[in-house]
Amino acid sequence: MSFLGFAIATSLQAATPAAAAMPPMPEDLNEIPIAEFRNKPTYAYRESLKAKKLTKGCEPTRKVNDGEYYFVSVVMLTDGAGGLKRVTPVSIDCPPLEEYVARYFARTGKDNMQPTADGKPAWRRTMLKFYW
């Protein structure tokens, strides 16, 4: 085996445990279990008004009667012990609101997730619904 081949093989072996520690994100959101929090996050009406300002120029997810619904989902990678590694919003073509919701769950989910049964990192999903 050449030195280059040995170096590549060694780097692949060294990277394997880290890659195995982080599960790939499922392509189908329905395959991702619903997030379970130790303490249920609360969301105040005044925060909702802040979020409403971010929707300027965005199309609502659904219009009902005279109101607009925005459903913003996020997928979260938990560390298996109750913490978060990553929060990723699902696009609804309204980046400011998506980022706002992702930051909200990053803040409220920090050290607030239920541990996984096997203690390993896992993906979870949740959603915020807005109606104005």
Side-chain angles (χ1 to χ4, degrees):
M1 178 183 286
S2 72
F3 177 74
L4 180 58
F6 178 76
I8 292 171
T10 304
S11 69
L12 289 175
Q13 288 174 350
T16 302
M22 187 171 140
M25 185 186 306
E27 300 228 357
D28 182 0
L29 286 181
N30 294 321
E31 292 179 10
I32 303 173
I34 302 293
E36 295 179 10
F37 298 90
R38 290 181 179 148
N39 297 306
K40 185 178 179 180
T42 57
Y43 195 80
Y45 182 70
R46 71 178 181 279
E47 292 174 295
S48 178
L49 293 178
K50 291 178 190 176
K52 184 177 182 176
K53 293 177 183 178
L54 300 173
T55 63
K56 185 176 181 178
C58 297
E59 287 294 318
T61 307
R62 185 181 310 152
K63 290 185 179 188
V64 177
N65 299 328
D66 289 330
E68 298 178 337
Y69 277 103
Y70 289 85
F71 302 107
V72 183
S73 296
V74 296
V75 291
M76 303 179 293
L77 180 62
T78 67
D79 66 7
L84 283 177
K85 290 182 154 215
R86 183 185 305 175
V87 178
T88 305
V90 177
S91 178
I92 62 166
D93 293 326
C94 189
L97 186 59
E98 295 162 20
E99 291 172 22
Y100 177 81
V101 172
R103 283 193 313 270
Y104 167 77
F105 281 113
R107 189 174 60 250
T108 62
K110 182 179 180 183
D111 300 321
N112 189 29
M113 306 303 296
Q114 287 289 350
T116 58
D118 60 5
K120 294 181 180 178
W123 290 99
R124 298 293 184 253
R125 66 184 162 104
T126 193
M127 173 188 293
L128 265 182
K129 300 174 186 177
F130 300 96
Y131 177 74
W132 301 290

